[in-house]
Amino acid sequence: MSPEIPTPTSPARRAAVHEQVIDGFGTVRVVPLDPAADLDVIYPWVTQERARFWGMLDATRERVLELYEFVGTLDSHHAFLLHRDDRPVALFQSYDPEFDPVGECYEVRPGDYGIHLMIGPVAGEPEPGFTGALLTTFLTYVLADPSRRRIVAEPDARNDKAIARLVRTGFVPGPEIDLPGKRARLVFLSRETFEQPHRR
């Protein structure tokens, strides 16, 4: 009898690093990205026009795979899929600003930690509270580490929708900066602000 050939781990079955049940929304799981297993999910996301601020519109499948495999080798940068009831709905990245180009553009404080966010395409009508629930879940995961005192994000300065969403979550706008390939707006969220009940 020949041995079974191992198959890639399904994102829905992969162990989560964080799981949160949100009343009226469902269970949100933070799952480490597996670039090869998840390529069919993330490639259409990052190359759609709606994701133009992500900077990968013209990337090939091979390039996207290569980029996320490289991220997977770093101790300072991490990529995750967020699942809502086992369906992938968002791509998140986290990073240590000291080891990222953004750290050259502002004075990094001890406890600063960076994030990127991309919500996947939504079928049907937009659902009120959808992005907020996912963002809150990911921030809860990131801030579970007590050494992280302030969250930093740098959306494209033209992406008014993303900036407004972050501000509603409690982020405070900072200066515009020049990063490779984009003009960005720094925004900051302190642990104290996030933990205020009215922000959750």
Side-chain angles (χ1 to χ4, degrees), residues 91-165:
L91 173 64
F92 273 88
Q93 293 174 218
S94 63
Y95 64 91
D96 183 336
E98 288 193 276
F99 300 96
D100 189 87
V102 73
E104 301 173 6
C105 300
Y106 84 103
E107 187 175 348
V108 179
R109 297 181 187 173
D112 278 2
Y113 202 69
I115 65 166
H116 301 293
L117 156 69
M118 177 187 291
I119 302 297
V122 178
E125 293 296 317
E127 181 180 348
F130 183 84
T131 300
L134 299 178
L135 182 56
T136 296
T137 299
F138 191 68
L139 290 170
T140 299
Y141 164 65
V142 168
L143 290 171
D145 183 335
S147 71
R148 298 168 184 165
R149 304 299 310 170
R150 186 172 69 156
I151 303 301
V152 181
E154 15 69 50
D156 192 292
R158 299 164 296 173
N159 194 345
D160 295 334
K161 185 176 180 180
I163 294 169
R165 172 65 264 182

Side-chain angles (χ1 to χ4, degrees), residues 4 10 24 32-33 47 51 58 81 91 118 128 132 146 149 164 166 175 177 190:
E4 290 187 10
S10 163
L33 183 75
T47 55
D58 299 322
L81 281 178
L91 173 64
M118 177 187 291
R149 304 299 310 170
L166 291 166
I177 59 173
S190 70

